[in-house]
Amino acid sequence: MSDQLLRTSVIGSHAMPGWFWTAMEQIDQNNYGSTDIRETFDDAVNIAMLDQQRAGIDVITDGEMRRWYFVQSFYRRFKGLAPRPTLRQTGVYGYDSVPRWRAVERIQVPEGLGIVEEFEYARAHTDRPLKATCPGPLTLTIHIQLQDDRIYKDRIELAYEFAGVVNRELKGLVAAGADFIQLDEPSFSIVPGGSQNWIDLFNHTVQGVNAKIGLHICFGNLGSRPRGKRRYAWMLNDIMRSNAQQISLEFANRELVELELCREIAREREVAAGLVDIKSFYVESPEDVAERVRETLKYVPPEKLWITPDCGFFQLPRWLAFQKLQNMVKGVKIVRQELEG
């Protein structure tokens, strides 16, 4: 029963070891050769997967260790972009501190996003069940300014351009053996335009992808604090129209607010409930996690419930991320034993 009920996973990114930050500085300064760079990223992925395995996570990821600040590194693969000034370069890092771009022509991504290659490496280096993760097309537009409506009339048109790119990547993942793919769309909660447009975009993006599809919507990580209303109810009807078999939502940081919405979602699909707070340095005890799982089970049958952190661990220290994962698994085991007892 424990293999089927209350499966644990992560959202995507793992915390970076201290040496990795130093290595990234050296890479940015052109002090590493191509072999050095390959070894650095391979070692980081290996560590991320090992940490998840040691913690006892059921379905792991590669930790997204080859990516930088979620989507920033993808823009290096785009043609048709020009940099624009960073809004703020002093003080606490936030939304207005990231590199930004503008579209100067129709954007092309001729060599894809590189996620297929990420998955192939991970698949070759673990025998654990593996989830592939990919940012959704709307989120890929978030740092791109549209100054000339002769190129793209609005952000939705640009997002549909990226939908084709993501769709090809997803089909490449399936061809590489991926059977579970999660699309991350935190921008659903902050970009104006109406959730109906977003879900139509999502469904267009996953069309023809022969794999289990997850949709993750959250309200930011440790550094990227929310800029929109931290509620799901207003978009629930459209979320239910999504062609996703699993819906992944953030609850821990919001003190389990709106947990009752999971009842409707669970009627038709799986729920991945974020029950560990990645915006807090408080390490939830196993009993804390178990209590949250019990609350969620009031709305979701155990066979449809997955337990995850709220979001990725990219901006947390590695020691903290590992402790949170360990205690998440221990807490889930407490409830599994209760269900089996």
Side-chain angles (χ1 to χ4, degrees):
M1 182 178 292
S2 63
D3 291 336
Q4 300 299 322
L5 302 185
L6 306 181
R7 292 186 181 180
T8 59
S9 188
V10 294
I11 295 304
S13 65
H14 190 59
M16 295 185 174
W19 61 262
F20 190 78
W21 291 95
T22 304
M24 290 301 295
E25 292 176 359
Q26 294 298 306
I27 291 171
D28 287 343
Q29 295 171 19
N30 296 318
N31 291 331
Y32 274 26
S34 58
T35 299
D36 305 316
I37 294 171
R38 184 181 70 250
E39 289 179 353
T40 297
F41 285 108
D42 288 354
D43 289 347
V45 171
N46 294 343
I47 285 175
M49 294 194 298
L50 180 61
D51 277 358
Q52 293 172 70
Q53 291 170 197
R54 288 170 54 223
I57 299 298
D58 296 318
V59 180
I60 69 172
T61 71
D62 74 339
E64 298 181 357
M65 305 302 280
R66 303 182 195 275
R67 309 179 196 179
W68 188 249
Y69 276 90
F70 184 33
V71 296
Q72 286 294 327
S73 54
F74 289 116
Y75 295 130
R76 301 170 189 165
R77 294 174 166 268
F78 291 9
K79 294 184 177 181
L81 292 180
R84 60 189 177 103
T86 302
L87 295 177
R88 183 172 55 84
Q89 300 189 51
T90 62
V92 176
Y93 195 89
Y95 280 120
D96 55 350
S97 307
V98 299
R100 293 168 183 264
W101 308 85
R102 59 187 177 90
V104 294
E105 61 185 18
R106 301 290 294 194
I107 297 172
Q108 300 180 43
V109 192
E111 297 182 4
L113 299 173
I115 298 175
V116 175
E117 291 80 3
E118 293 177 359
F119 178 83
E120 288 173 335
Y121 179 89
R123 182 72 287 162
H125 289 82
T126 183
D127 58 1
R128 288 294 183 94
L130 190 63
K131 174 173 70 174
T133 62
C134 179
L138 186 65
T139 295
L140 281 172
T141 74
I142 196 65
H143 299 305
I144 300 174
Q145 186 179 45
L146 304 177
Q147 293 181 316
D148 188 342
D149 60 11
R150 292 173 298 179
I151 302 175
Y152 297 103
K153 65 181 181 180
D154 55 26
R155 189 164 299 280
I156 290 295
E157 183 183 359
L158 175 59
Y160 269 94
E161 182 91 275
F162 290 162
V165 174
V166 174
N167 182 266
R168 290 190 293 273
E169 202 79 16
L170 302 183
K171 290 177 178 176
L173 283 167
V174 173
D179 56 10
F180 181 13
I181 305 172
Q182 175 187 288
L183 268 71
D184 301 314
E185 282 285 20
S187 293
F188 280 4
S189 65
I190 62 173
V191 175
S195 55
Q196 181 174 353
N197 286 337
W198 309 337
I199 297 303
D200 290 344
L201 170 68
F202 176 86
N203 289 341
H204 179 74
T205 303
V206 300
Q207 188 172 359
V209 179
N210 187 25
K212 175 180 173 178
I213 300 295
L215 169 60
H216 171 65
I217 307 172
C218 70
F219 304 100
N221 56 28
L222 179 66
S224 301
R225 292 296 185 175
R227 330 184 249 184
K229 186 164 75 171
R230 295 200 307 160
R231 289 292 187 272
Y232 292 115
W234 66 273
M235 63 176 91
L236 181 63
N237 288 339
D238 285 317
I239 289 175
M240 294 303 295
R241 293 194 303 107
S242 68
N243 293 332
Q245 290 75 56
Q246 182 181 101
I247 304 298
S248 169
L249 304 177
E250 168 188 327
F251 292 107
N253 184 254
R254 303 185 308 127
E255 304 298 335
L256 305 188
V257 169
E258 296 189 304
L259 198 60
E260 68 278 0
L261 299 180
C262 293
R263 177 183 283 121
E264 182 174 349
I265 297 172
R267 290 192 180 109
E268 300 180 10
R269 47 201 100 196
E270 294 175 348
V271 173
L275 301 183
V276 170
D277 189 354
I278 57 88
K279 299 186 184 79
S280 169
F281 270 54
Y282 170 67
V283 179
E284 296 90 341
S285 69
E287 187 52 50
D288 288 335
V289 176
E291 182 180 355
R292 294 171 186 177
V293 173
R294 294 186 196 105
E295 283 297 309
T296 311
L297 285 171
K298 294 178 181 179
Y299 306 101
V300 184
E303 66 274 11
K304 286 190 173 184
L305 180 58
W306 288 53
I307 310 302
T308 70
D310 279 343
C311 194
F313 283 113
F314 170 74
Q315 292 183 311
L316 267 67
R318 182 184 170 205
W319 66 265
L320 178 61
F322 184 68
Q323 287 187 28
K324 282 177 173 281
L325 286 179
Q326 279 186 309
N327 285 1
M328 184 180 80
V329 171
K330 290 176 182 178
V332 169
K333 285 183 177 178
I334 291 172
V335 182
R336 280 178 179 166
Q337 290 170 357
E338 293 170 355
L339 293 172
E340 293 172 351

